[in-house]
């Protein structure tokens, strides 16, 4: 995955296609810069946030869940976290990790496919 700075990232066109929920929330200060349609395997959206890891993790565990995307399972370590999710007619996986190149920024990837 290419690494980007939140300040320099160029936003990918949206919406991201039928394989990704149009109402999926991203934290403020986040730019989605890459979208991959992998057919029946789903759509992967990659983004970078100017928010730090702890704030993005809290957002994923609360704001995303409040938007109707239930966490099925996951794990959190010091510098990265991931979870399987479902909701609103979709299923998938998200992962976040501290940016190795831009301290204080967080890289997000969300995989989504229709249920």
């Amino acid at each position: 995955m290419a690494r980007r700075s939140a300040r320099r990232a160029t936003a990918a066109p949206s919406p991201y296609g039928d394989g990704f929920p149009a109402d999926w929330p991203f934290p403020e200060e986040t730019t989605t810069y890459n979208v991959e349609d992998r057919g029946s395997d789903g759509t992967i959206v990659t983004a970078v946030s100017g928010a730090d890891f702890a704030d993005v993790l809290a957002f994923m565990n609360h704001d995303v869940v409040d938007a109707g995307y239930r966490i099925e399972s996951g794990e959190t370590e010091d510098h990265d976290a991931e979870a399987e999710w479902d909701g609103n007619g979709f299923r998938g996986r998200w992962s976040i990790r501290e940016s190795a190149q831009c301290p204080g920024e967080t890289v997000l990837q969300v995989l989504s496919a229709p249920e």
Side-chain angles (χ1 to χ4, degrees):
M1 160 180 38
R3 296 181 192 257
R4 303 278 171 115
S5 165
R7 293 177 296 280
R8 294 187 313 237
T10 301
S14 65
Y16 307 123
D18 294 337
F20 198 87
D23 63 348
W24 180 271
F26 285 95
E28 289 185 31
E29 303 180 54
T30 298
T31 302
T32 58
Y33 63 87
N34 190 48
V35 178
E36 293 179 54
D37 181 348
R38 295 198 174 171
S40 62
D41 290 332
T43 299
I44 299 173
V45 173
T46 305
V48 61
S49 177
D52 68 23
F53 176 79
D55 289 343
V56 173
L57 180 60
F59 183 92
M60 301 303 281
N61 284 322
H62 300 287
D63 296 65
V64 171
V65 170
D66 289 348
Y69 300 98
R70 179 180 67 92
I71 294 174
E72 296 176 330
S73 63
E75 71 174 313
T76 300
E77 297 178 5
D78 290 339
H79 305 283
D80 62 73
E82 56 191 40
E84 302 282 336
W85 60 268
D86 73 356
N88 300 336
F90 293 87
R91 61 172 171 71
R93 179 177 193 80
W94 58 254
S95 66
I96 64 171
R97 65 180 158 64
E98 290 180 342
S99 173
Q101 292 182 326
C102 301
E105 295 186 353
T106 306
V107 178
L108 302 85
Q109 276 197 317
V110 181
L111 166 66
S112 173
E115 287 192 293

